[in-house]
Amino acid sequence: MNNRILPRWPSCFGSLAVDGQLSHQTSESMNRRLRFYCTIMLVLMGIVLSVSLYELGKAFGSGVSAGYALEKARYEASHNKKYAHSKEFKELQALDEESDLRASSAQIKFNNDIDSRPVKVKNEKTGKYEKVWIMSADIPYSESNFIITLKFVYLFVLLVLSALLLITYFKLIRNFRKSENIFSIVNLRLIKRITLLTIINYITMWGVDFLDTYSCAQSFELAGRTVDYLGSMNLTDNLFEIPIMLIICEVFAIGVKMREENELTV
């Protein structure tokens, strides 16, 4: 009886070895796919953030270039009376006034009130004036020195947060590409940092939008229309990113815990 059973032991061990190899290969394949998908997600989020930083830098550069061109024209006009009365210089001055007016304006949205009144605007297609109901508008407004200082602080914080987010994204992508198992304490800390920075970033943006909306509401009013604070502050735009980041953070925390338990078991 024992002689018949003994030859079967090696085959059992061989079967276990094959199963272990298949399980290891499946685990590696799943890890590769998970790293790939997470890397794509982080790359897309990094691209969105990079585009935002590019647009901010582009706007800043355009403002600096326009200011330099205007100062150059003013200097020339102070030494050349003919140029001071030229059409080119007057157009530059008008453009500067419009730029200052646009820079001191913010977009606000109005509630769809029952007693809202229409506004007459010229229809360029027909040349006639027609009644329209304005739901949003860019409104120039005046700000106190305190509000201006507070906005500059908010914008500086936004710039720093954006830079920190971008750096953290790149670190996480680098770790994903190097590590065999992405569920590590280091990656979990980076994801927690991204989540925290994202929440602070949105709170800061909502603070800037609130200051703009409040200043506009204090200096502008349409008959029968009330300001939609939530809509003007873009409170719901991309709000889903916060719960998504919280879910990802929790999933990673569970993954790290499961990995540590598996290592202890082995």
Side-chain angles (χ1 to χ4, degrees), residues 118-185:
V119 177
K120 284 188 176 182
V121 296
K122 185 178 180 180
N123 186 343
E124 297 295 338
K125 294 287 186 180
T126 61
K128 299 179 180 179
Y129 284 88
E130 299 181 3
K131 294 181 179 180
V132 297
W133 279 261
I134 297 177
M135 299 302 298
S136 64
D138 292 340
I139 309 298
Y141 61 93
S142 57
E143 295 176 310
S144 63
N145 292 332
F146 174 75
I147 297 294
I148 293 174
T149 304
L150 199 57
K151 281 185 64 176
F152 270 111
V153 172
Y154 272 136
L155 292 174
F156 177 76
V157 171
L158 276 176
L159 185 61
V160 173
L161 287 173
S162 299
L164 290 175
L165 275 170
L166 195 59
I167 293 172
T168 310
Y169 282 137
F170 284 131
K171 286 183 178 180
L172 198 57
I173 293 172
R174 181 196 60 189
N175 291 350
F176 278 4
R177 294 179 63 86
K178 288 183 177 180
S179 59
E180 294 182 359
N181 194 321
I182 63 175
F183 293 106
S184 64
I185 295 294

Side-chain angles (χ1 to χ4, degrees), residues 17 19 28 47 50 73 109 116 119 156-157 191 231 240 249:
D19 291 342
E28 287 185 349
I47 289 174
S50 299
K109 298 178 181 179
S116 60
V119 177
F156 177 76
V157 171
I191 289 177
F240 62 90
C249 186

Side-chain angles (χ1 to χ4, degrees), residues 233-252:
M233 292 171 57
N234 300 312
L235 196 61
T236 57
D237 289 359
N238 300 324
L239 187 60
F240 62 90
E241 287 186 13
I242 293 179
I244 286 178
M245 291 305 303
L246 291 173
I247 292 172
I248 293 174
C249 186
E250 189 64 27
V251 168
F252 259 79

Side-chain angles (χ1 to χ4, degrees), residues 215-227:
S215 300
C216 285
Q218 297 300 311
S219 58
F220 184 84
E221 184 177 355
L222 282 178
R225 308 304 295 270
T226 56
V227 175

